[in-house]
Amino acid sequence: MLFTRATFALPLLAGVIAAPFELGKRDSVVSVIDSFNSTITPTIQALADAASAGTLNETSAESYLSTIYSDLNAAASAVSGTSAKRAFATPPSPPGPPALAKRDDLDEVGAVLAAVIEELVDAIEQIADDLKAIPLIGELIIDIDVGLDTLLKGVEEVLDGVVEVLAGLLKGVSAILAGLGNGLTAALLGF
């Protein structure tokens, strides 16, 4: 009789133990992207403000763009270290919590990344004329495109489907993205 009680309790115990780990994976991807957003947004805004005010020079542009590139690389490294690709079981007839959590992740991460990419593209568009006169800055833009592409591929590896969400959210800036660096980000998004 004791054996049958333990047999019935085992699946419940396994569910309680496994639940925090799944939540931890969700939190890690979302928290990395949220942290990335809070780190990179002030730099992008400072670049845009300096361009608008006409105070942007080669040194400050190089500093802002180098910081943006470093932030992209740091986020890409952090995303790749979060966890292996999340494997969700085939959702039950009514979508269960894993399917809903994945959709929430896709929406949240997609929205944050889309906002960052739009801000970045707008800031770079503001300094487009300056880029022609400063060859080093053009190289940094190519590096940023490569870094952004790497970050998006890393997020896609951990959170399958985020690139499709981003492609839908960024249709309005697809032409500008195609001109960013080597166009790697635009190609990844299907533009």
Side-chain angles (χ1 to χ4, degrees):
M1 185 141 166
L2 182 59
F3 177 73
T4 55
R5 281 190 222 164
T7 305
F8 288 122
L10 192 56
L12 294 173
L13 183 61
V16 170
I17 292 171
F21 293 109
E22 185 170 304
L23 182 62
K25 288 180 185 177
R26 176 187 186 277
D27 287 345
S28 64
V29 175
V30 173
S31 67
V32 165
I33 296 304
D34 284 343
S35 176
F36 165 68
N37 181 39
S38 65
T39 302
I40 200 167
T41 299
T43 307
I44 294 171
Q45 189 59 50
L47 173 64
D49 291 346
S52 296
T55 58
L56 191 67
N57 59 36
E58 183 176 352
T59 304
S60 61
E62 181 182 347
S63 174
Y64 291 133
L65 294 173
S66 293
T67 301
I68 290 168
Y69 177 65
S70 295
D71 291 345
L72 286 166
N73 285 335
S77 291
V79 164
S80 69
T82 55
S83 64
K85 190 171 187 173
R86 288 179 51 187
F88 291 101
T90 306
S93 294
L100 294 175
K102 181 180 179 185
R103 186 76 231 164
D104 289 346
D105 288 355
L106 288 172
D107 292 342
E108 185 174 346
V109 170
V112 170
L113 286 173
V116 168
I117 291 169
E118 285 178 352
E119 289 175 23
L120 180 60
V121 166
D122 288 344
I124 290 174
E125 191 176 38
Q126 286 181 9
I127 63 171
D129 291 335
D130 298 329
L131 294 176
K132 296 174 188 168
I134 310 169
L136 178 63
I137 301 301
E139 290 297 318
L140 282 171
I141 298 298
I142 291 171
D143 290 345
I144 287 172
D145 182 37
V146 170
L148 192 53
D149 183 66
T150 303
L151 173 62
L152 295 181
K153 285 179 180 174
V155 172
E156 178 71 16
E157 182 66 30
V158 176
L159 191 59
D160 192 28
V162 77
V163 168
E164 289 82 15
V165 170
L166 276 171
L169 293 171
L170 295 172
K171 285 284 186 203
V173 294
S174 62
I176 299 169
L177 269 173
L180 177 68
N182 290 331
L184 293 174
T185 304
L188 177 65
L189 296 172
F191 299 141

